[in-house]
Each structure stands twice: as structure tokens, then as C-alpha cells.
Amino acid sequence: QVQLVQSGSELKKPGASVKVSCTASGYTFTRHALNWVRQAPGQGPEWMGGINTNTGKPTYAQAFTGRFVFSLDTSVTTAYLEISSLEAEDTAVYYCARDQPPYYYYGMDVWGQGTTVTVSS
Amino acid sequence: DIQLTQSPSFLSASVRDRVTITCRASQGISSYLAWYQQKPGKAPKVLIYAASTLQSGVPSRFSGSGSGTEFTLTISSLQPEDFATYYCQQLNSYPRTFGQGTKVEIK
């Protein structure tokens, strides 16, 4: 079945980096863009941006430029989110989610289970 | 950025009630709107896309309407499993913003 499986929870100190993975299965990876969504504790979801899985071109929301990098390894159908110079405010659950085919404006139909990143000294 | 404002933010209702949630966009987004349901500790789940199209597998008591700047999500007869938080998201332009959410709780 179509699924996205994310890497496990992370506990990091301020200033460190973290790399979250999102592995796709059950569909052709390069046909549908992947999005990254952040949800801080007690808050709503926030769209961070996405990556074209065919070309590798990322798109970032303004609030997520600079310390955030989206990347791919198509050989293992995996997308990555790397956050550098972590701050306490980066503590959140991070989700990957697929653009529903055939059009991006159909919303996000398949979501990973979420990866909790906790930043604490 | 396009802002989405949901109302109400909190809603207390009983089983079998009809519930309506509104999402207003700060500028026109045609029909490029999706609705999601989220339960605690779970990822959001898409219910409606393109403003009014029911996602496959979603019960028909959910419906969506609207275009331009005003949209509604209606649950015709609230069921126990519908108590959750609901979010709208616009897909008209980047960034693909979400509304702040509407929490539906049991009366």
C-alpha cells in the first residue's frame, strides 16, 4: 500500500543539526511532490515547503529559508529534511506528506507518521 | 501570504448535530482549498479537496462548499468519531497556508 515512513524521534541540543527522513513505498516516487509540515506543540500545522521529486527542486516558505534544507535520494525513494543551528522554537512534530495525484491542488493525501524533534539543553 | 481565518475556533456539539465550520481567505483562491481532520497524536487526514470534492473513503456526512474567499465544511450528523480538530488549507499559491483550526468537542 501507499505509505510514507519517517525516521524516529530526535532529542538535540541547541545549535546542533538534525536530519529527518521520509521513505516512500507503494507508488512511483518521482511522480508526486512531497511536502514538509511542522506542527509545534498545541499549534496547527504549518506548511514549510515542498520538493519536486522528479527534478529535486525545493520550494521553501519564507519562514523556513536559511536553516532548512530539503533533499532527495531517489535510489531509496527517500526525502530528507535537515535543520541546522537548532533552536528551542524548532521543537515540533515534522510531517512529510504527498501531493495527491493528479493535481497539487487536490491537497495532501498520504502523510508520514510524524517525527518529533525536541531541542533542549 | 494568503491568510485563512476559521470560525469558530472552538465548537461544542452533540452527536447527530449539524455542524458548519467557515474558512475565509484574505484574497481569492478560486476553489483551491482542502479540509483536513486531525485527531490527537495523528497526522492530518484530507476530507475534502478542490473546495467541494469528497475524498475517497470519507463518509458522505462531510461536505464542502464555496469559492473565492469564503468556504464551509459541513458535517450533516455528527458522529462520535468526528470529534477532532479541523483545518482548511489553501493551495492557490505559495506558501500553502493553513487555517488556525476548529476544535469540535462533545457537549
Side-chain angles (χ1 to χ4, degrees):
Chain A
Q1 74 279 24
V2 176
Q3 61 178 351
L4 298 172
V5 177
Q6 298 183 224
S7 49
S9 298
E10 301 270 8
L11 173 61
K12 296 290 185 180
K13 294 191 185 303
S17 296
V18 69
K19 195 168 187 176
V20 176
S21 67
C22 169
T23 300
S25 61
Y27 72 97
T28 303
F29 181 70
T30 53
R31 281 194 181 169
H32 310 294
L34 283 174
N35 301 270
W36 288 97
V37 175
R38 181 171 82 175
Q39 191 162 29
Q43 303 299 308
E46 188 174 11
W47 186 80
M48 302 172 66
I51 187 162
N52 182 316
T53 51
N54 186 41
T55 64
K57 179 180 185 293
T59 300
Y60 299 95
Q62 182 67 31
F64 298 98
T65 56
R67 298 188 297 115
F68 301 83
V69 177
F70 308 149
S71 61
L72 301 173
D73 184 343
T74 56
S75 68
V76 289
T77 64
T78 299
Y80 300 95
L81 162 66
E82 186 164 18
I83 311 171
S84 59
S85 302
L86 282 162
E87 305 166 354
E89 292 71 32
D90 295 320
T91 294
V93 177
Y94 292 84
Y95 293 101
C96 59
R98 184 184 81 160
D99 272 354
Q100 176 163 219
Y103 305 113
Y104 69 90
Y105 55 84
Y106 280 18
M108 298 178 285
D109 67 333
V110 180
W111 292 65
Q113 81 277 20
T115 296
T116 299
V117 174
T118 303
V119 183
S120 174
S121 53
Chain B
D1 296 1
I2 295 173
Q3 311 300 319
L4 296 181
T5 303
Q6 289 184 231
S7 59
S9 297
F10 176 84
L11 189 160
S12 182
S14 301
V15 173
R16 292 183 294 279
D17 279 354
R18 181 181 181 87
V19 165
T20 298
I21 298 167
T22 298
C23 176
R24 289 189 173 87
S26 59
Q27 62 191 77
I29 58 170
S30 186
S31 296
Y32 298 154
L33 188 100
W35 287 97
Y36 299 87
Q37 176 193 68
Q38 187 177 31
K39 296 183 178 178
K42 299 294 187 182
K45 170 188 169 185
V46 63
L47 301 175
I48 301 285
Y49 61 89
S52 60
T53 303
L54 189 68
Q55 178 75 6
S56 175
V58 173
S60 60
R61 63 181 179 271
F62 291 92
S63 64
S65 65
S67 68
T69 61
E70 188 150 338
F71 302 85
T72 59
L73 172 70
T74 299
I75 309 172
S76 60
S77 177
L78 200 64
Q79 297 302 300
E81 60 269 29
D82 300 337
F83 292 95
T85 303
Y86 294 84
Y87 297 96
C88 54
Q89 184 198 22
Q90 65 83 16
L91 299 115
N92 181 75
S93 62
Y94 292 139
R96 296 179 183 173
T97 42
F98 287 88
Q100 84 281 11
T102 296
K103 186 173 185 178
V104 178
E105 289 200 344
I106 302 172
K107 195 177 220 176

